[in-house]
Amino acid sequence: MSDSHKELQVRRVAKSFLSGGQPIEVLKEIELTVKRGESVSIRGESGSGKTTLLNIIAGLETADSGSVFLNGLDIQNISESLLARLRGNEIGMVFQAYHLIPELDVTENVLIAARILGKISQTHRSRAVELLKRVGLGERLKGSPMQLSGGERQRVALARALMNRPSLILADEPTGNLDEKTAHGVIDLVFDICREENSSLVLVTHNPEYAARTQQQFILQNGFLKTPETPDILDD
Ligand SMILES: Nc1ncnc2c1ncn2[C@@H]1O[C@H](COP(=O)(O)OP(=O)(O)O)[C@@H](O)[C@H]1O
Ligand SMILES: [Mg+2]
C-alpha cells in the first residue's frame, strides 16, 4: 500500500520563530507517520515545540518547509475552506485548559463541534448525549461547565473532540491540570474511547507511564522526534 493511504504523515517539517530578531529553529526535520487507529506519544521539555507541532498537524500554523498529509491530502496546499472542513471532520483537539464555553451548558459545549460544520440535527444531539454518557456525565447534560471539576471538564472536552467522529485526536497535555488520580481516569478514557472509535491518537504528555501505553513513543528534542532508546537522550 502506498504511503498516501496512511492516516497522518508529517514529512521533513521545519519551523522557526523570531526571538529578539533572531530566528530560533524549533522544529528542524520532523518525520512522523500515524496509521489509522494507532496511538503515538510525544514527550519533551517545555519549549521544545510540542504544541507548535500539534498546531501544524491541525493546520492552525503553517510549517516553513515540509508537508503534512492527512488522509492523503496535503493540508498546507488546500484552500482555507477545505482545510476548515477537514479540520472539523477529521481532527479532534483536547487541550490542557479544556477551553469550554462557560455560557453554554455541557451538551451545547459538545455540540459546538457539529455547529461549526453546519446545522445540527437530532442525530447530532443523540451523538452528543451518547458521548456524554460514555464519559460518565449523563447526569450533567444541562449543567454548566463552571460547576464541574477539572476531570469532568476534561471529559466534556473529550466528548467534544470526538463529536464529529474524527480520524485523529490531538491531545496536548490533557492531564496537565489534573491531580494524579483524576488524570489516570481521564487518560484511561482517552485510550479506551480512541480505541472504540478507531481514532488515531497523538498524545503530548510529560508522564512516562502514559507514554508507555502508546504504540509509538517519541521525545521531541533539538527539533527532532527521537525514540526514547536513542542514546543521546539517555545520556542527557
Ligand atoms: N507564535 C510564536 N511566536 C514566537 N515564538 C513562539 C511562538 N509559538 C511558540 N514559540 C516558541 O517556540 C518554542 C516552542 O514552543 P511550544 O511549541 O509552545 O513548546 P512546548 O509545547 O513543547 O512547550 C518556544 O520557545 C516558544 O516560545
Ligand atoms: Mg505546549
Side-chain angles (χ1 to χ4, degrees):
M1 195 155 100
S2 95
D3 251 1
S4 64
H5 291 95
K6 287 174 186 166
E7 196 62 39
L8 169 69
Q9 296 171 70
V10 179
R11 293 291 171 261
R12 305 192 66 160
V13 158
K15 180 80 176 177
S16 298
F17 290 111
L18 281 179
S19 172
Q22 292 282 86
I24 300 189
E25 281 186 281
V26 175
L27 305 176
K28 288 182 182 147
E29 195 176 312
I30 299 294
E31 289 286 325
L32 176 67
T33 301
V34 187
K35 292 181 196 152
R36 183 69 191 256
E38 197 173 32
S39 59
V40 171
S41 57
I42 300 174
R43 286 186 283 156
E45 284 176 7
S46 183
S48 59
K50 305 179 297 297
T51 295
T52 300
L53 176 56
L54 289 199
N55 285 342
I56 290 172
I57 291 171
L60 297 170
E61 280 186 70
T62 46
D64 298 334
S65 59
S67 311
V68 176
F69 297 95
L70 190 62
N71 303 348
L73 276 177
D74 179 351
I75 67 160
Q76 302 194 116
N77 283 301
I78 57 178
S79 67
E80 272 298 319
S81 61
L82 181 54
L83 176 61
R85 233 178 316 140
L86 186 72
R87 190 189 298 131
N89 281 306
E90 298 297 335
I91 298 179
M93 298 187 82
V94 183
F95 308 92
Q96 178 171 349
Y98 326 122
H99 297 315
L100 301 177
I101 299 173
E103 291 81 10
L104 299 178
D105 71 24
V106 164
T107 308
E108 287 298 327
N109 265 279
V110 175
L111 283 169
I112 278 283
R115 282 195 199 281
I116 286 166
L117 294 172
K119 228 168 125 30
I120 65 152
S121 64
Q122 196 50 47
T123 313
H124 292 117
R125 292 198 171 275
S126 307
R127 166 81 175 157
V129 170
E130 169 207 323
L131 279 166
L132 284 165
K133 286 181 179 163
R134 176 65 188 86
V135 301
L137 293 171
E139 309 292 311
R140 313 299 288 270
L141 299 176
K142 293 284 158 216
S144 161
M146 302 309 283
Q147 289 162 347
L148 301 179
S149 68
E152 289 167 338
R153 288 181 197 195
Q154 197 58 299
R155 287 163 191 251
V156 177
L158 181 59
R160 179 186 55 193
L162 286 151
M163 176 67 213
N164 297 333
R165 303 183 193 278
S167 52
L168 176 64
I169 293 288
L170 303 174
D172 194 355
E173 303 189 40
T175 58
N177 283 355
L178 305 175
D179 65 72
E180 199 181 324
K181 184 159 171 280
T182 306
H184 281 320
V186 166
I187 278 292
D188 283 347
L189 259 182
V190 169
F191 279 110
D192 289 349
I193 296 190
C194 284
R195 201 174 303 120
E196 287 161 21
E197 302 264 331
N198 195 31
S199 294
S200 312
L201 170 67
V202 178
L203 172 68
V204 168
T205 180
H206 288 291
N207 188 313
E209 275 176 50
Y210 301 159
R213 290 168 63 175
T214 61
Q215 289 159 301
Q216 297 192 68
Q217 291 186 59
F218 295 101
I219 295 177
L220 183 51
Q221 193 182 46
N222 302 326
F224 294 91
L225 281 181
K226 304 177 182 181
T227 53
E229 290 78 28
T230 309
D232 68 299
I233 291 172
L234 297 176
D235 290 349
D236 257 73

